[in-house]
Amino acid sequence: MRIMNVASLQTKGGVEVIYADMCNALAGHQVEHFVMSSRINEEILRCINEVSAPPRFHNKWGALHLPRIPFLRQWRFESALKQAKPDLLVGWNRLHDFPTLPKNLPFIHYEHGTSWYEHPQQEALAILQRADRIICASHAAKRMIELKWLKKSDDKIVVNRNAVPASRSQKQPRQESSQLRLAFAGRFHPVKAPWVVLQVLLKLKNATASFAGKGEQWEPTKKLAEQLGLTDRVRFLGHVSDMTAFYAEHDYLICPSVREPFGLVAVEAMLQGCIPLTTHVDGLSEALSGEQHRLCVPATLSMAEAVKLGHTGDLKHVTHVYDPSTDSLRGVLFPDPNQFAEKISQLEAAPAEKKALQEKLQLRAQTEYSFTSFIERQRAIYEK
């Protein structure tokens, strides 16, 4: 089977890592890439170059740069289709600025979280209605599409939950310490609410916190750490190449996102014995199914309350999130740092319970979130 993917690969986030690992795993199929960004992240490019044809760019024809003129970009897409002759087209997490699709080519939309954002309604609906199949990375993503966009999906939506990427699936030896170690992993973006981790740290005296990632909230978060007098208890590491080792040397991952379609970092942390504590929103609690009462914090703080505690940044692109408690959409709210601190204190007061929970979560990550099983399900959907 010849598969052409339409994707933006400029950054290295969760969807891009899954994308690269999936291309490596689809042995027996010819995989092509039509890239909607102007460049590809170097690590992602290195991965896909090993197993597939050189990517084609929407804005380049050889060495010639194509201006942003709709008919030229459409011509580039159609010429790529003629060259690749794909049997299947897969659009990766994109609901706007998409080429017009031929009517006779099977098309799958892969939903990893873009439906949470605002898009021109006609464009988004055209893509979702045209799709022969929609693959969602979580049940929350499925419900977001149904509640916000399609209203009626005619059973064409399939859930294939995210898995620990093959490149991050190696279990590492735990690095134990007498000190309590908290971790944050992800983009420093307003939706990730990194300031919450500092407020949690403020309430736990024998604790440190490490931040992996970068982004627009990097400087504001560092400034808040200084204001709270936490500089000597915090490490801002920037980009971390070996995330498996990072999780293995921490006790708790704090994931206080106000929006998170699935929460891949939570599953990756579980595999390394790092207990994730998350907001009860979207797909985060789904990743921790069966342990929500111990590991999830409800979102109860308003924007005004969050600003008082250190939140900065704009959330105008996310107007609604999915509330798994009510199976409905609601506005953006923030988790209370006090509740994260309370859950950590409860687990630290019961070492045997904490150890049993670590082992249970590790087993869950290895079995239910196996990348091999994920690929088998994805391949079956493609072939059908």
Side-chain angles (χ1 to χ4, degrees):
M1 185 193 306
R2 294 185 299 276
I3 304 166
M4 175 173 275
N5 297 298
V6 179
S8 178
L9 301 173
Q10 188 163 322
T11 60
K12 187 187 177 185
V15 65
E16 289 84 15
V17 172
I18 288 284
Y19 179 96
D21 283 356
M22 188 180 295
C23 290
N24 279 316
L26 287 173
H29 297 301
Q30 178 182 328
V31 180
E32 305 273 351
H33 315 276
F34 189 76
V35 182
M36 298 298 293
S37 47
S38 57
R39 65 179 184 84
I40 301 178
N41 175 274
E42 290 183 8
E43 292 181 50
I44 300 298
L45 180 61
R46 192 159 48 246
C47 289
I48 64 178
N49 274 346
E50 293 175 359
V51 294
S52 54
R56 298 176 174 89
F57 288 84
H58 75 127
N59 60 350
K60 297 177 185 176
W61 177 260
L64 180 64
H65 183 86
L66 301 177
R68 194 178 181 84
I69 300 174
F71 83 85
L72 276 180
R73 299 292 173 90
Q74 183 65 27
W75 166 79
R76 177 69 186 106
F77 176 64
E78 292 174 2
S79 66
L81 289 178
K82 287 179 182 178
Q83 291 175 319
K85 296 181 174 61
D87 302 302
L88 173 65
L89 192 68
V90 182
W92 279 76
N93 206 40
R94 193 174 190 88
L95 287 179
H96 73 281
D97 196 19
F98 206 92
T100 301
L101 303 174
K103 293 181 180 179
N104 60 346
L105 181 62
F107 170 60
I108 290 174
H109 168 70
Y110 182 75
E111 174 60 44
H112 196 271
T114 191
S115 62
W116 270 256
Y117 291 99
E118 296 304 310
H119 304 284
Q121 188 170 21
Q122 281 190 320
E123 285 188 57
L125 284 176
I127 293 167
L128 294 171
Q129 290 170 349
R130 167 63 180 83
D132 300 286
R133 185 72 71 191
I134 298 171
I135 303 177
C136 290
S138 66
H139 174 74
K142 176 179 186 290
R143 293 300 290 141
M144 177 59 74
I145 286 179
E146 291 172 336
L147 293 168
K148 183 177 178 180
W149 298 104
L150 283 186
K151 310 305 178 187
K152 185 180 179 184
S153 62
D154 295 322
D155 298 324
K156 70 177 178 180
I157 301 181
V158 170
V159 175
N160 187 16
R161 284 187 178 86
N162 258 342
V164 178
S167 55
R168 298 182 181 179
S169 62
Q170 186 65 40
K171 189 177 171 183
Q172 299 287 337
R174 286 284 305 158
Q175 305 295 320
E176 301 300 343
S177 170
S178 59
Q179 192 169 51
L180 188 58
R181 300 159 303 173
L182 311 182
F184 171 90
R187 286 182 303 130
F188 277 68
H189 187 278
V191 298
K192 304 289 186 179
W195 59 268
V196 172
V197 181
L198 296 177
Q199 292 290 353
V200 175
L201 184 62
L202 196 62
K203 294 163 178 52
L204 300 170
K205 301 306 178 185
N206 182 37
T208 60
S210 301
F211 290 77
K214 265 210 162 183
E216 64 187 82
Q217 292 299 304
W218 168 269
E219 289 299 336
T221 308
K222 289 178 69 176
K223 184 177 180 180
L224 179 62
E226 294 173 6
Q227 292 172 350
L228 296 175
L230 297 172
T231 306
D232 59 342
R233 297 168 58 195
V234 176
R235 295 188 303 162
F236 290 93
L237 303 175
H239 173 71
V240 174
S241 57
D242 188 352
M243 287 303 296
T244 57
F246 174 80
Y247 294 126
E249 63 181 28
H250 290 88
D251 302 294
Y252 298 95
L253 173 75
I254 309 295
C255 188
S257 301
V258 300
R259 163 212 168 260
E260 200 72 64
F262 178 69
L264 196 53
V265 292
V267 180
E268 291 177 0
M270 284 162 51
L271 181 62
Q272 305 305 334
C274 179
I275 298 174
L277 296 163
T278 77
T279 314
H280 186 48
V281 69
D282 294 333
L284 277 173
S285 48
E286 189 177 331
L288 307 174
S289 179
E291 298 296 337
Q292 291 97 326
H293 63 293
R294 286 200 284 186
L295 302 179
C296 291
V297 168
T300 57
L301 301 183
S302 67
M303 173 65 79
E305 291 170 313
V307 168
K308 289 180 181 178
L309 291 173
H311 175 77
T312 60
D314 191 355
L315 291 174
K316 66 181 180 181
H317 296 298
V318 181
T319 58
H320 292 86
V321 297
Y322 174 67
D323 185 346
S325 299
T326 60
D327 187 35
S328 62
L329 303 186
R330 62 159 173 79
V332 173
L333 295 170
F334 295 81
D336 185 345
N338 289 309
Q339 294 199 39
F340 281 114
E342 287 172 12
K343 288 184 177 294
I344 291 171
S345 297
Q346 289 168 3
L347 283 168
E348 288 302 302
E353 182 182 341
K354 176 186 174 183
K355 180 68 174 175
L357 179 60
Q358 284 177 308
E359 293 173 354
K360 182 179 181 179
L361 293 174
Q362 279 189 307
L363 180 61
R364 178 178 173 80
Q366 289 174 306
T367 54
E368 295 188 37
Y369 297 112
S370 155
F371 192 76
T372 301
S373 298
F374 170 79
I375 285 296
E376 288 174 358
R377 294 191 297 269
Q378 195 85 356
R379 185 195 299 272
I381 296 167
Y382 283 11
E383 292 176 351
K384 184 176 180 179

